[in-house]
Amino acid sequence: MGPLLSLGVGLLLLILWARYKGLAYVLVHHRWVFVCLFLLPLSVLFDIYYQFRAWMVQKMHSAPRQHNLRVRNIQEQVREWKKEGLKTYMCTGRPGWLTVSLRVGKYKKTLKNITINLMDILEVDTERMVVRVEPLVTMGQLTAHLNPIGWTIPVVPELDDLTVGGLIMGTGIESSSHIYGLFQHSCVAYELVLADGSHVRCTPEENSDLFYAVPWSCGTLGFLVAAEIKMIPAKKYVKLHYEPLRGLKTICKRFAEESEKKENHFVEGLVYSLEEAVIMTGVLTNEADHSKINRIGCYYKPWFFKHVENYLKANKTGTEYIPARQYYHRHTRSIFWELQDIIPFGNNPVFRYLFGWMVPPKISLLKLTQGEAIRKLYEQHHVVQDMMVPMKSLEQCIETFHSDIKVYPLWLCPFILPNNPGMIHPKGDEAELYVDVGAYGEPKTKYFEAKASTRQIEKFVRSVHGFQMLYADCYMTREEFWEMFDGSLYHKLRKQLHCNDAFPEVYNKICKSARH
């Protein structure tokens, strides 16, 4: 009874303190209290529910049967919207807080919401080496299903809760992208319900214009109802080599060299200051030196980015063997390094051993409970951006980030960009090596201003023929947006498929400068 009594007294004192200070004050200045007491347990319950649901669907083999019924229901909703006289645009009925993007779209309050309850794995075709999935299938769900049966997908974007639909309609990247390209480049077919209620399938050979126009369109050409993704054989471990480097020129040169090597199955960089970084290269393998196995996904282990930083501090190289699925989701527990701003003591060994099994809190729940005060605070004093630039512009890009926002660590992830039709492609006629530079955290520049500082970075990215990931805050004007992205095929399909009366244009949907 002693520990329970102490816990009860502690909770009572905490409640009295929160009542004295006010709930708003606690949520803004001591958010970790609310996150630890409520959101972490709630996140665990969410995970248990969705894992049990996925297990039941798999055991009962009900997904393919239910899929056709659900697609017909979506078609009926679209046809009903047409009968009502096309009064407003359509969008998915999924609440904005459920998405992994930190942006909360206001458009859902005024548009016609179409309910799309599609979250199952439909088929694993080992002969074609393709997995067919619904759009709300998550990366965590997909790797948990495929890895035990000996398969994976070529590009597994980091966070567990990222969905197939979001990674296609937006974009997705991983440290294998220097070989396989972006997430969209591993997809071989999409199925959509269009503005007229028809159900179509598109591939590079069938309805090819639509196939290439769908990525980055953010759901403004139709409703994605299924996708087919390439599979590759899975292996047990990733042999990961860590190399600390100093000097910006040395960092960029070494990173570009490693990104060119196809024998590296994975290439990633974490930049800890303007002159310090760790470059990691990995190879899939079934054999491992058991004395060097590091199960970084275990709840009591240090956060990955902190583990990597130890190599920089010690100024030594190192090699480890990491279980493959734990490598794929290595940044999930700390949400890259965002969780350190929410739970400052989250990487403390005591916290990890006692409560690490509940980490991370669901991003969707963080969004749902953040309130207007925290939203504005994050908007003005927090950066979450991914900018994709040609590899040859990496040094200049890091210098620009340092000058305008000074957020560290920076995430570096190389990818090959083929010269396919669509909203993004290289400037020339050949495929080109690009790099995604991710900045997540509190800016340390003296005169940071969210809109002005982001616009400066956007301007630089346009000048080098780069691209901004559309999940983040975008401050470009319409003219600037279509200078960055190639809208020729997109606008052609919008007109051809009668989307102008059915869906908002992608710029109006995601850019802060647009009127919703």
Side-chain angles (χ1 to χ4, degrees), residues 402-413:
H402 181 81
S403 172
D404 290 328
I405 56 175
K406 201 179 289 185
V407 170
Y408 292 103
L410 293 175
W411 187 55
L412 304 184
C413 186

Side-chain angles (χ1 to χ4, degrees), residues 45-177:
L45 293 177
F46 260 60
D47 280 335
I48 291 172
Y49 167 74
Y50 282 111
Q51 288 172 14
F52 178 73
R53 184 195 176 282
W55 180 80
M56 285 293 292
V57 168
Q58 183 182 350
K59 291 299 179 184
M60 296 173 67
H61 304 288
S62 63
R65 210 168 46 246
Q66 292 295 321
H67 175 74
N68 294 331
L69 293 174
R70 290 170 183 158
V71 171
R72 282 200 290 271
N73 178 258
I74 294 166
Q75 291 178 279
E76 289 169 7
Q77 291 179 72
V78 173
R79 287 167 184 151
E80 184 63 30
W81 164 82
K82 286 186 69 178
K83 287 179 184 177
E84 292 171 357
L86 321 181
K87 293 177 182 178
T88 183
Y89 292 136
M90 293 182 290
C91 68
T92 65
R94 191 184 188 209
W97 61 268
L98 272 175
T99 63
V100 173
S101 166
L102 294 180
R103 183 180 61 250
V104 179
K106 298 177 181 177
Y107 59 88
K108 287 185 181 285
K109 296 178 182 178
T110 57
L111 305 191
K112 172 70 173 179
N113 283 214
I114 304 297
T115 302
I116 298 180
N117 185 27
L118 300 170
M119 56 182 72
D120 296 319
I121 297 167
L122 300 173
E123 181 186 6
V124 177
D125 188 334
T126 55
E127 289 188 10
R128 291 176 58 219
M129 296 175 65
V130 163
V131 57
R132 183 169 175 250
V133 299
E134 293 180 328
L136 295 181
V137 167
T138 67
M139 290 300 99
Q141 180 184 352
L142 193 53
T143 56
H145 186 91
L146 292 180
N147 289 175
I149 57 175
W151 296 95
T152 187
I153 57 175
V155 178
V156 186
E158 307 286 343
L159 303 180
D160 282 18
D161 290 341
L162 291 169
T163 64
V164 169
L167 295 168
I168 291 170
M169 290 295 187
T171 194
I173 192 169
E174 177 46 72
S175 52
S176 58
S177 288

Side-chain angles (χ1 to χ4, degrees), residues 133-378:
V133 299
E134 293 180 328
L136 295 181
V137 167
T138 67
M139 290 300 99
Q141 180 184 352
L142 193 53
T143 56
H145 186 91
L146 292 180
N147 289 175
I149 57 175
W151 296 95
T152 187
I153 57 175
V155 178
V156 186
E158 307 286 343
L159 303 180
D160 282 18
D161 290 341
L162 291 169
T163 64
V164 169
L167 295 168
I168 291 170
M169 290 295 187
T171 194
I173 192 169
E174 177 46 72
S175 52
S176 58
S177 288
H178 66 297
I179 299 173
Y180 298 106
L182 300 173
F183 186 83
Q184 68 202 58
H185 300 127
S186 295
C187 298
V188 296
Y190 308 127
E191 295 175 41
L192 296 99
V193 171
L194 302 180
D196 62 358
S198 61
H199 177 203
V200 300
R201 183 175 184 268
C202 55
T203 71
E205 295 78 33
E206 177 188 6
N207 297 314
S208 59
D209 278 356
L210 181 58
F211 178 81
Y212 289 114
V214 163
W216 295 74
S217 66
C218 298
T220 59
L221 293 174
F223 295 112
L224 185 70
V225 294
E228 294 176 27
I229 309 166
K230 294 176 188 174
M231 297 191 305
I232 58 175
K235 293 189 178 181
K236 293 180 181 179
Y237 301 100
V238 173
K239 182 182 180 182
L240 194 64
H241 180 72
Y242 304 85
E243 182 181 6
L245 295 166
R246 286 175 170 81
L248 184 57
K249 287 188 181 297
T250 301
I251 292 167
C252 295
K253 182 174 182 292
R254 185 70 174 150
F255 186 75
E257 289 172 351
E258 294 298 337
S259 300
E260 293 278 3
K261 297 177 182 177
K262 295 298 185 281
E263 61 265 32
N264 288 329
H265 297 159
F266 306 99
V267 179
E268 176 183 25
L270 295 185
V271 182
Y272 290 91
S273 75
L274 185 61
E275 300 291 335
E276 298 177 307
V278 178
I279 305 301
M280 288 157 281
T281 54
V283 178
L284 286 163
T285 177
N286 283 322
E287 306 298 327
D289 179 344
H290 286 272
S291 67
K292 293 184 178 180
I293 292 176
N294 183 4
R295 302 185 185 279
I296 59 170
C298 294
Y299 69 87
Y300 51 83
K301 287 283 189 173
W303 290 345
F304 183 68
F305 79 98
K306 287 293 188 183
H307 171 65
V308 174
E309 191 177 17
N310 288 333
Y311 287 96
L312 185 65
K313 290 178 177 178
N315 196 29
K316 66 176 183 180
T317 60
T319 300
E320 294 180 327
Y321 294 83
I322 299 174
R325 187 164 184 263
Q326 293 188 15
Y327 173 82
Y328 290 141
H329 302 290
R330 63 199 177 279
H331 291 299
T332 290
R333 287 192 302 127
S334 56
I335 317 178
F336 281 87
W337 31 93
E338 288 279 61
L339 197 57
Q340 66 181 351
D341 292 333
I342 299 170
I343 308 176
F345 47 83
N347 195 47
N348 182 283
V350 175
F351 180 87
R352 292 201 313 264
Y353 274 90
L354 293 179
F355 305 108
W357 57 276
M358 292 193 287
V359 166
K362 292 286 184 187
I363 294 176
S364 54
L365 295 179
L366 290 170
K367 285 172 64 177
L368 179 64
T369 59
Q370 68 181 357
E372 191 64 18
I374 295 177
R375 189 193 65 78
K376 287 183 177 178
L377 192 69
Y378 262 71

